[in-house]
Amino acid sequence: MTQLVYLVPLFPLIGFLINGIFWRKMPKTAGGVIGTLTILASFIVSLGIFFEVKNSGTATMVHLFDFINSGKLSIPFTFQVDALSSLFLLIITGVGFLIHVYSTSYMHEDEGMVKYFAYLNLFIFSMLLLVLGGNYLIMFIGWEGVGLCSYLLIGFWFKNRDYTNAAKKAFVMNRIGDLGFLVGMLLILYTYGTLSYQDFFGQLKGGQVIVSTSTYNWIAICLFIGAMGKSAQIPLYTWLPDAMAGPTPVSALIHAATMVTAGIYMIARSSALYNLAPMAQTLITWIGLATAIVAATIAMKQYDIKKVLAYSTVSQLGFMFLALGVGAYTTAVFHVMTHAFFKALLFLGAGSVIHAMGGEQDLRLMGGLGKKMRITQITFLIGCLAISGIPGFSGFFSKDEILAMAYAHDPILYYLGVFAAMMTAFYMFRLYFLAFTGIFRGTHDQEHHLHESPWAITIPLIILAILSVVGGYVGLPAVISEHHALASYLAPVVANTGEHHMLAGTEWMLMGISVSVSVLMIIVAYVRNKKPAFAPNTGVAKFLENKWYVDELYDAVIVRPIGAISRLLDRFAERAGIDGIVNGVGKLVGWGGDRVRLLQSGQVGFYIFVMVLGIIALFTLGFFWIR
Amino acid sequence: MPIQYYLFLSMALFSIGIMGTLMRRNAIIIFMCIELMLNAVNLLLVAFSKMYVDSSAQIFVFFIMVVAAAEVAVGLAVIVMMHRKVHSVDINILNRLKH
Amino acid sequence: MYEVLFWFLTIMAIGCALGVILSRNPVNSVLFLIATFFAISGHYLLLNAQFLAVVNIIVYAGAIMVLFLFVMMLMNLNADVEPQKSRLAQLAGMIAGGVLFLVILAALRTASLSVLDKQSNDIGLIKNLGKVLFTQYVLPFEISSVLFLSAIIGAVVISRKEEVHSTVADGSVNTSDIK
């Protein structure tokens, strides 16, 4: 089955081509079915591969064709099937399949539904390339592909200018990060002559090429810049909240479960490199932590249901980078997995709510939805419990593992992490209480429209809720069980460094602190939002509501100057310079033609004169130029 | 005499003919300068025929004269026709070639 | 003796040629050209090309230049109405001609040429020329007659007067010549 790994990206690619070419003529249901079945097929193959890898425990390279072969540079198109990539395959195709099913109902009334499925399939294809690639170049191809699909899907309702601007913003910010990625790749190529994982990591371990630590740091930092852009860390995170302009399933798939985790995947894959670059690791840790905290503060004061979830995603990604920074690669991957489950669940639930509210997304107009939408309410509650790290749910296991690893590295990281986790619990339950409990605050028409969503929407919600509960049990902490299933599964490929063995007592204490703090915040959220009054925000609250004015800052410092430079260049370089030259050539030819026309004077005497001159010239050339 | 002297003489006459063609505006004078050029060439040919002791050059000169005569006949007919139309033989007036 | 004659004829030839191009009265130009032809014929005699010398006089000086004179008289040209080119054009023409002269001479200065035989030889005699003409070159000779024929016809056709048809009041067609 492993040799058939090429089928996994092939099915979505076929789905994309069929839906993409025939989208105008294809009936909507057929398009949805094709789009969904391809992902199902990929999921089945991924399952097979997963079990094979689990049993064999080795990595397999599947060579497809020679891609680049020039001089000494040889980059083949190979897929690396090992524990890490097969795990990600499952997450991508599994969650992706559920979201596709969801979309068949959610996007049912949209004219461009088939086009939507084509884009979704293309996205899955690119993401699969990203995780399957055997070298950085194929990862980069997938990287760019998901960036492109993100742009296409965010701006899916392209008639709205704000949405297309958001799509552009996402793409441009991604590209800024991609520059870092490219530079990192070039550095690797220059220093080691290869981009393939096995060669590169082998050389790192073998230590044949003598490089200084600063080289490692530079490469690591450059790659991390790419991850910053893709996974929305400070300073390249502002695109993600704006990306909520796209359809909700898109937000669920791309901006919760898959694309934004590409950065985590890359760093986890390159763990051998990061272990040699302490400065980069410190950078990652602090940026991750800062992002987690800042995003959480902003989420506390947002009124759009999707924006809260967006900032929550940014914050959780910060947690994952915190884990990566302290060397806990397996833990980060663990959190990726659980986060994929509960964040997708939360987004899809939000989509169900928006659907029921007829497109309304403002929390201030919701309330008491639980009465009419039981399934959505229960599954959403499960998601909130998971993300807040309540014991028994998957988020508890992964988040606590991150906090424990952070504590073992440096206690202050732990305390700051707990601070962020507190806020996570608070804003998530604020969201829950505002939306699902209390009295409905919307209009009468909206109230009449409220209904539970069809099964195509609720069944994925139920499945994801179940996964959000049981998904954590693959990574039991040491105090409960000796066997960490996920860690042992990933061990051949990526492993936590610095296995800090803590006393059992310390671990229990850490867990206790974080859990009790979270529960406390849930109660606070309940109290404050039982009967909510929405006064206009002032002071700190206003600062948080306006996202720390970061967008305005970027606009003033970066966007406007670049706009001004562009206008300047347009006037001087473009109009006067380039247009001047091009038009000038045309004018020159015209002018020259005018002048030459005067030669045709009709004067015979002049003609004879020119003839004589010609003869003289011919003589001179003929007799004196022959060497 | 060394042949170079005849060369000089012939070339001098030839270039005088060229100068005349370029300097004068009267069509008939220009025609006459052309005749002068032809004669310069004739002279050179005869000189070469004596140098190489070959009579073909002189035959050639003979034919040049034949052609010159015919050409003069026709050319002057054209000039006469021109004069009838525009009452002048100034070549600056004859600029229909412009179109 | 030979040299004195040579130089005398040379100076006469060049001087009369200059006279052709520089004189303002066109009739004077014609007369100068006739003198030039005489000088050239003298050169032919020096080169012992007797036949050509005589033919030169008869054909060129005798026939062609007379034709020129006739046409000149027909047009009643004299120095007053003679149009002149601008000074610049004249200067340009002179320079062009001079440059051509220099270029050709420079091109030929390295040519290896032998000395003319001071002895007169017989190839210029009419008997020898006749022999060559009527044996080797008889075809061009015959064709030149055709050339003459076409020249004559051409000259007559070109200079024919046009006929104009005019209608008189009573409808009869009158043909008259344009003067």
Side-chain angles (χ1 to χ4, degrees):
Chain A
M1 190 62 109
T2 311
Q3 290 302 321
L4 294 176
V5 69
Y6 64 86
L7 283 179
V8 177
L10 186 65
F11 286 132
L13 183 64
I14 295 177
F16 159 68
L17 287 171
I18 297 180
N19 273 340
I21 295 178
F22 297 114
W23 74 271
R24 282 189 209 275
K25 308 238 184 69
M26 173 115 33
K28 286 198 247 188
T29 332
V33 164
I34 291 179
T36 315
L37 282 182
T38 53
I39 307 297
L40 182 62
S42 293
F43 178 64
I44 295 174
V45 179
S46 307
L47 264 182
I49 295 179
F50 174 74
F51 283 116
E52 269 193 27
V53 175
K54 188 162 175 312
N55 290 335
S56 75
T58 55
T60 322
M61 306 290 291
V62 178
H63 177 82
L64 288 181
F65 54 90
D66 278 331
F67 190 36
I68 295 182
N69 231 332
S70 111
K72 286 194 287 194
L73 180 64
S74 167
I75 303 181
F77 205 95
T78 43
F79 285 157
Q80 178 161 335
V81 183
D82 57 19
L84 184 63
S85 54
S86 55
L87 178 68
F88 267 86
L89 276 188
L90 275 183
I91 298 176
I92 296 168
T93 49
V95 175
F97 170 64
L98 291 173
I99 293 179
H100 274 71
V101 171
Y102 181 97
S103 301
T104 53
S105 169
Y106 191 83
M107 297 297 288
H108 194 69
E109 277 145 35
D110 195 301
E111 278 310 307
M113 175 169 154
V114 181
K115 195 169 57 157
Y116 170 86
F117 272 98
Y119 289 157
L120 267 189
N121 273 5
L122 183 65
F123 171 81
I124 300 270
F125 166 71
S126 309
M127 190 73 201
L128 290 171
L129 270 190
L130 201 158
V131 301
L132 276 176
N135 55 57
Y136 282 104
L137 187 64
I138 302 183
M139 182 200 268
F140 191 65
I141 296 176
W143 191 274
E144 293 295 320
V146 296
L148 170 70
C149 295
S150 173
Y151 167 80
L152 290 171
L153 285 163
I154 296 174
F156 184 67
W157 290 311
F158 57 87
K159 300 209 173 103
N160 185 323
R161 216 32 156 124
D162 290 331
Y163 295 171
T164 51
N165 279 343
K168 223 178 4 176
K169 181 172 176 176
F171 194 70
V172 171
M173 276 195 162
N174 258 221
R175 287 304 263 159
I176 298 177
D178 290 348
L179 181 63
F181 193 160
L182 261 177
V183 172
M185 273 209 301
L186 287 171
L187 278 175
I188 295 177
L189 198 55
Y190 179 68
T191 324
Y192 293 95
T194 175
L195 283 178
S196 107
Y197 300 142
Q198 290 199 323
D199 283 346
F200 177 46
F201 300 139
Q203 285 191 34
L204 281 180
K205 287 199 191 89
Q208 297 125 324
V209 184
I210 310 293
V211 290
S212 60
T213 316
S214 68
T215 314
Y216 292 135
N217 276 323
W218 276 117
I219 300 179
I221 291 178
C222 285
L223 290 179
F224 175 59
I225 293 178
M228 258 201 267
K230 192 64 86 184
S231 300
Q233 296 299 292
I234 291 175
L236 297 172
Y237 71 94
T238 55
W239 63 269
L240 204 150
D242 283 2
M244 297 299 113
T248 312
V250 167
S251 307
L253 180 62
I254 297 186
H255 307 123
T258 39
M259 181 177 100
V260 292
T261 57
I264 318 288
Y265 170 78
M266 173 175 78
I267 296 189
R269 176 62 81 189
S270 320
S271 57
L273 170 68
Y274 282 90
N275 287 334
L276 294 167
M279 192 168 89
Q281 282 184 313
T282 322
L283 182 70
I284 297 178
T285 312
W286 285 101
I287 287 193
L289 200 50
T291 310
I293 295 178
V294 167
T297 57
I298 300 178
M300 290 203 296
K301 272 289 169 200
Q302 294 299 308
Y303 294 111
D304 184 328
I305 192 173
K306 282 177 74 172
K307 289 268 191 325
V308 175
L309 294 176
Y311 283 105
S312 165
T313 305
V314 176
S315 180
Q316 294 299 307
L317 286 169
F319 269 105
M320 293 181 220
F321 277 100
L322 168 63
L324 288 174
V326 300
Y329 304 104
T330 318
T331 315
V333 174
F334 187 21
H335 199 61
V336 165
M337 193 174 84
T338 58
H339 177 262
F341 297 147
F342 56 69
K343 194 44 76 59
L345 168 63
L346 288 168
F347 265 109
L348 293 185
S352 173
V353 164
I354 295 172
H355 190 70
M357 294 281 295
E360 181 61 63
Q361 293 179 221
D362 195 333
L363 280 170
R364 294 172 283 198
L365 296 175
M366 298 184 195
L369 294 177
K371 293 193 207 61
K372 304 259 178 76
M373 306 173 71
R374 273 285 168 228
I375 303 183
T376 311
Q377 181 193 25
I378 296 178
T379 51
F380 203 87
L381 180 62
I382 293 178
C384 287
L385 288 169
I387 196 176
S388 307
I390 302 302
F393 296 89
S394 60
F396 164 68
F397 295 109
S398 57
K399 193 184 288 198
D400 258 48
E401 202 177 311
I402 294 180
L403 291 173
M405 291 291 164
Y407 183 83
H409 204 255
D410 187 352
I412 183 124
L413 297 175
Y414 171 78
Y415 289 115
L416 289 172
V418 168
F419 179 52
M422 269 168 53
M423 290 193 282
T424 306
F426 176 75
Y427 66 68
M428 281 314 300
F429 273 91
R430 164 180 175 269
L431 174 63
Y432 173 75
F433 289 128
L434 277 179
F436 289 99
T437 63
I439 313 166
F440 186 68
R441 293 180 290 276
T443 67
H444 266 299
D445 288 332
Q446 284 173 332
E447 197 167 3
H448 283 296
H449 192 249
L450 286 179
H451 61 279
E452 184 57 89
S453 302
W455 64 265
I457 290 189
T458 48
I459 299 222
L461 287 178
I462 296 174
I463 298 181
L464 283 171
I466 296 175
L467 284 171
S468 299
V469 175
V470 307
Y473 290 96
V474 298
L476 298 170
V479 291
I480 298 183
S481 150
E482 282 300 317
H483 175 65
H484 193 290
L486 190 66
S488 41
Y489 175 69
L490 287 176
V493 184
V494 81
N496 283 349
T497 49
E499 284 296 329
H500 303 273
H501 290 288
M502 287 184 283
L503 301 172
T506 323
E507 274 218 51
W508 282 117
M509 178 190 80
L510 296 177
M511 274 198 279
I513 294 178
S514 62
V515 170
S516 47
V517 152
S518 300
V519 172
L520 182 66
M521 293 314 287
I522 293 177
I523 298 176
V524 170
Y526 176 66
V527 166
R528 281 182 67 108
N529 290 306
K530 218 170 27 175
K531 288 198 177 49
F534 299 112
N537 286 318
T538 53
V540 174
K542 187 154 184 250
F543 184 67
L544 294 181
E545 186 188 348
N546 281 316
K547 313 165 272 157
W548 291 47
Y549 294 109
V550 171
D551 274 325
E552 286 77 1
L553 180 71
Y554 283 169
D555 189 47
V557 171
I558 297 177
V559 176
R560 282 208 199 170
I562 291 186
I565 292 179
S566 279
R567 273 189 290 283
L568 204 73
L569 278 180
D570 179 42
R571 249 180 66 200
F572 291 118
E574 177 83 17
R575 299 249 178 85
I578 298 177
D579 276 357
I581 292 179
V582 173
N583 287 347
V585 169
K587 280 197 206 133
L588 187 72
V589 173
W591 176 84
D594 257 351
R595 290 275 163 271
V596 173
R597 184 167 57 90
L598 293 175
L599 277 180
Q600 288 276 9
S601 59
Q603 308 277 13
V604 181
F606 182 63
Y607 291 173
I608 302 176
F609 179 59
V610 174
M611 267 200 277
V612 173
L613 286 181
I615 293 175
I616 295 177
L618 278 174
F619 266 123
T620 330
L621 285 175
F623 282 112
F624 299 115
W625 228 36
I626 305 173
R627 290 169 211 281
Chain B
M1 310 303 304
I3 188 71
Q4 277 83 357
Y5 286 33
Y6 278 103
L7 201 63
F8 278 139
L9 172 60
S10 169
M11 284 302 113
L13 286 175
F14 188 79
S15 46
I16 291 176
I18 296 249
M19 285 193 228
T21 325
L22 296 176
M23 278 169 59
R24 304 296 298 247
R25 264 167 78 173
N26 193 330
I28 304 180
I29 307 286
I30 292 181
F31 213 179
M32 280 176 9
C33 294
I34 294 177
E35 294 304 316
L36 181 57
M37 284 195 267
L38 281 171
N39 268 282
V41 170
N42 285 353
L43 180 59
L44 190 59
L45 270 171
V46 171
F48 273 126
S49 103
K50 178 138 193 229
M51 186 170 101
Y52 289 115
V53 193
D54 187 1
S55 60
S56 344
Q58 298 199 5
I59 307 290
F60 196 34
V61 170
F62 177 71
F63 281 115
I64 290 181
M65 288 191 195
V66 162
V67 170
E71 160 214 348
V72 164
V74 176
L76 284 178
V78 170
I79 291 181
V80 164
M81 271 313 291
M82 234 170 54
H83 183 77
R84 256 192 227 150
K85 290 282 182 206
V86 298
H87 296 285
S88 160
V89 283
D90 185 353
I91 57 167
N92 279 355
I93 299 185
L94 309 163
N95 56 4
R96 286 292 191 86
L97 275 176
K98 187 159 72 169
H99 305 292
Chain C
M1 177 65 187
Y2 182 82
E3 297 216 6
V4 170
L5 261 180
F6 175 83
W7 282 112
F8 170 70
L9 285 171
T10 307
I11 292 173
M12 182 175 151
I14 293 186
C16 294
L18 284 172
V20 169
I21 67 172
L22 292 177
S23 70
R24 296 202 55 184
N25 193 336
V27 179
N28 285 352
S29 292
V30 175
L31 297 174
F32 273 123
L33 191 59
I34 295 180
T36 315
F37 286 153
F38 272 104
I40 293 181
S41 289
H43 272 294
Y44 287 161
L45 282 174
L46 279 182
L47 290 168
N48 205 21
Q50 304 162 359
F51 173 64
L52 281 179
V54 175
V55 167
N56 202 10
I57 299 292
I58 296 175
V59 170
Y60 261 110
I64 293 178
M65 295 325 291
V66 169
L67 202 58
F68 267 109
L69 262 178
F70 274 148
V71 173
M72 203 82 73
M73 297 306 180
L74 204 64
M75 301 192 181
N76 226 2
L77 295 171
N78 52 33
D80 308 323
V81 299
E82 179 71 18
Q84 288 275 337
K85 272 198 165 169
S86 66
R87 278 281 174 235
L88 179 65
Q90 287 183 339
L91 189 68
M94 258 202 290
I95 292 178
V99 168
L100 185 65
F101 178 58
L102 289 175
V103 163
I104 295 181
L105 282 185
L108 293 176
R109 73 189 147 83
T110 52
S112 56
L113 301 162
S114 56
V115 181
L116 266 184
D117 213 333
K118 256 221 195 144
Q119 311 282 349
S120 56
N121 42 36
D122 291 340
I123 54 166
L125 296 178
I126 187 163
K127 188 167 91 172
N128 299 328
L129 267 186
K131 269 203 202 129
V132 178
L133 184 62
F134 288 115
T135 52
Q136 277 187 329
Y137 298 102
V138 66
L139 184 61
F141 185 71
E142 300 299 333
I143 293 192
S144 64
S145 62
V146 177
L147 177 71
F148 274 132
L149 183 65
S150 65
I152 293 170
I153 297 177
V156 169
V157 164
I158 289 177
S159 52
R160 198 167 46 150
K161 288 185 189 168
E162 286 177 6
E163 298 184 354
V164 168
H165 302 270
S166 62
T167 47
V168 190
D170 62 354
S172 65
V173 176
N174 247 348
T175 315
S176 59
D177 292 326
I178 296 183
K179 296 280 186 288

